[in-house]
Amino acid sequence: MRLLVTGGAGFIGANFVRLTLAERPDVDVTVLDLLTYAGSASSLPDDARVTLVKGDVADAETVEALVGEADAVVHFAAESHNDNSLDDPSPFIRTNLVGTFTVLEAVRRHGTRLHHVSTDEVYGDLPLDGDQRFTRDTPYRPSSPYSASKAGADHLVRAWVRSFGVDATLSNCSNNYGPYQHVEKLIPRQITNVLDGVRPKVYGEGRNVRDWIHVDDHNAAVWSILDRGRIGETYLIGADGEADNRTVVSTILELMGQDPDAYDRVPDRPGHDLRYAIDASRLRKELGWEPRHADLRAGLAATIDWYRENEPWWRPQKLETELRYRRLGR
Ligand code: NAD
Ligand code: TDX
């Protein structure tokens, strides 16, 4: 089987390729990735079963040719960072909307199976206090240009399923963490700050809650959906990992031998979503998926070790990322 993985040189995609090589001996992978600031060939294993094609998911000719050679497509490619989308939304529109449209047109022509990877942020946010959780029936209410572009992409996929009979499934996952995550994101930013002797930066009061899941649990769920998911269905992926940002940052500091309060507060992100929480019971019941790394503290400790041991991977991103944050005042 040949799988086309768009965005496979990014954080979740590269971990997906690694999991696939380890657990699916019958699957060869073609990665289509533009290698933007967020993608790196060095995140991919050097393996004869993986072919990396540098190209744009919004380029119809490139996508058409690669989909024509694939048995299935997993679509991860996206601009993924909220803060960047507030600074300049334009690449989010092109990659997330036009890119998804381009993939849909190609799989429509070739009759190829598609799994579309999306986010819980399409549902907007939940109140800080309370036990409400997102389900697949929660109305879409995205807050940022990033989440609005992902919401639009999800709607395109559902329309292509209904109107053109495309063989697609969708998933909306909560916040991922683990190895190979770009240092712009909360957890690797703060781990690498501490490694550099810099105090972590928490937006606002740090009370915002995210529902953390280890990237391998997300990717195992994607494989469950590819194997057993019902065409046209949407599966919410989450591992009951709710924690507020202060707690995450304090845990990182403590695990790294620092004072848990040794962080700085910086101005809040405009439109900052308060809380995300996923009800993944359908995925568990229908497809039998269970997270294997649900202990956030243990997962953070392993992730800290990974960043300690892989400075040559993250160091080239760090200075430019922090200069960008300085310009944004965060
Ligand atoms: P990432 O930014 O680390 O990786 C994105 C990859 O897409 C990069 O390799 C980049 O080079 C590539 N890319 C960007 N524009 C492209 C284009 N025009 N053509 C081809 N490739 C392009 O993002 P990630 O965190 O790995 O997220 C992957 C997917 O998962 C995204 O669709 C995102 O919305 C979704 N998602 C992410 C999270 C999370 O917590 N990170 C949670 C839920 C869903
Ligand atoms: O330095 C920081 N300080 C801080 O307090 C950064 C970078 C973030 N934060 C806060 C903002 C959020 O409340 O931490 C939380 C997590 O921030 P991000 O890592 O930027 O993630 P988030 O905005 O929640 O979005 C992530 O999860 C859903 C991914 O980036 C998206 O791609 C995914 O769809």
Side-chain angles (χ1 to χ4, degrees):
M1 177 185 184
R2 178 156 293 277
L3 200 57
L4 176 63
V5 179
T6 74
F11 162 48
I12 305 176
N15 280 288
F16 180 81
V17 172
R18 288 173 176 275
L19 184 78
T20 301
L21 290 192
E23 296 191 352
R24 304 280 166 148
D26 54 324
V27 180
D28 287 350
V29 177
T30 302
V31 169
L32 169 62
D33 199 296
L34 191 57
L35 301 178
T36 67
Y37 81 96
S40 171
S42 69
S43 302
L44 287 166
D46 187 9
D47 191 298
R49 288 166 56 205
V50 181
T51 308
L52 171 61
V53 177
K54 184 179 175 191
D56 188 345
V57 74
D59 176 58
E61 213 175 301
T62 305
V63 172
E64 169 72 27
L66 294 175
V67 168
E69 296 165 1
D71 301 299
V73 181
V74 185
H75 178 40
F76 289 100
E79 285 290 336
S80 69
H81 193 41
N82 277 301
D83 289 321
N84 292 345
S85 82
L86 295 163
D87 193 33
D88 176 12
S90 58
F92 291 74
I93 303 306
R94 176 171 168 83
T95 295
N96 301 1
L97 284 168
V98 181
T100 301
F101 160 74
T102 307
V103 170
L104 283 166
E105 284 294 83
V107 297
R108 171 156 88 105
R109 270 192 296 274
H110 291 281
T112 311
R113 169 86 165 88
L114 169 69
H115 181 70
H116 170 70
V117 177
S118 190
T119 170
D120 59 357
E121 297 193 16
V122 298
Y123 301 115
D125 59 358
L126 297 165
L128 274 185
D129 303 315
D131 53 7
Q132 272 170 276
R133 299 199 287 173
F134 299 133
T135 71
R136 89 185 200 297
D137 300 319
T138 304
Y140 273 39
R141 198 171 58 90
S143 313
S144 72
Y146 163 68
S147 50
S149 68
K150 292 297 292 188
D154 293 7
H155 289 316
L156 292 177
V157 177
R158 293 203 184 92
W160 261 242
V161 170
R162 175 160 171 163
S163 297
F164 302 125
V166 158
D167 275 352
T169 43
L170 301 89
S171 56
N172 296 84
C173 187
S174 60
N175 284 60
N176 284 222
Y177 74 98
Y180 301 102
Q181 186 167 31
H182 194 280
V183 298
E184 69 191 356
K185 303 297 194 315
L186 174 70
I187 288 175
R189 183 182 187 203
Q190 312 314 345
I191 293 172
T192 54
N193 275 348
V194 176
L195 289 174
D196 277 350
V198 172
R199 285 163 69 94
K201 311 277 181 255
V202 170
Y203 295 171
E205 292 186 17
R207 293 188 63 223
N208 307 60
V209 172
R210 297 294 182 262
D211 188 354
W212 294 98
I213 182 171
H214 193 277
V215 64
D216 287 342
D217 284 334
H218 178 186
N219 284 327
V222 170
W223 264 112
S224 308
I225 298 166
L226 281 170
D227 287 337
R228 301 185 294 284
R230 283 188 283 142
I231 296 302
E233 270 302 337
T234 295
Y235 296 90
L236 271 68
I237 307 174
D240 301 327
E242 277 185 76
D244 68 21
N245 294 337
R246 289 189 299 199
T247 304
V248 169
V249 170
S250 289
T251 307
I252 290 170
L253 281 162
E254 189 206 321
L255 288 166
M256 297 182 78
Q258 308 281 316
D259 170 0
D261 295 323
Y263 58 81
D264 290 335
R265 288 193 186 161
V266 295
D268 210 349
R269 172 187 283 172
H272 196 175
D273 281 341
L274 293 175
R275 172 174 164 254
Y276 306 139
I278 287 270
D279 176 352
S281 50
R282 263 168 54 81
L283 179 71
R284 290 174 186 253
K285 280 187 209 133
E286 207 180 285
L287 303 186
W289 169 87
E290 287 294 333
R292 289 194 197 154
H293 309 276
D295 179 341
L296 179 59
R297 191 183 166 83
L300 286 175
T303 304
I304 291 166
D305 287 345
W306 190 88
Y307 281 88
R308 258 194 227 289
E309 287 156 18
N310 290 277
E311 182 173 343
W313 181 85
W314 60 263
R315 177 58 67 193
Q317 312 166 356
K318 185 66 181 169
L319 181 61
E320 192 193 325
T321 302
E322 290 305 321
L323 287 174
R324 208 179 329 140
Y325 276 124
R326 193 173 305 169
R327 189 166 53 74
L328 297 174
R330 292 198 279 281

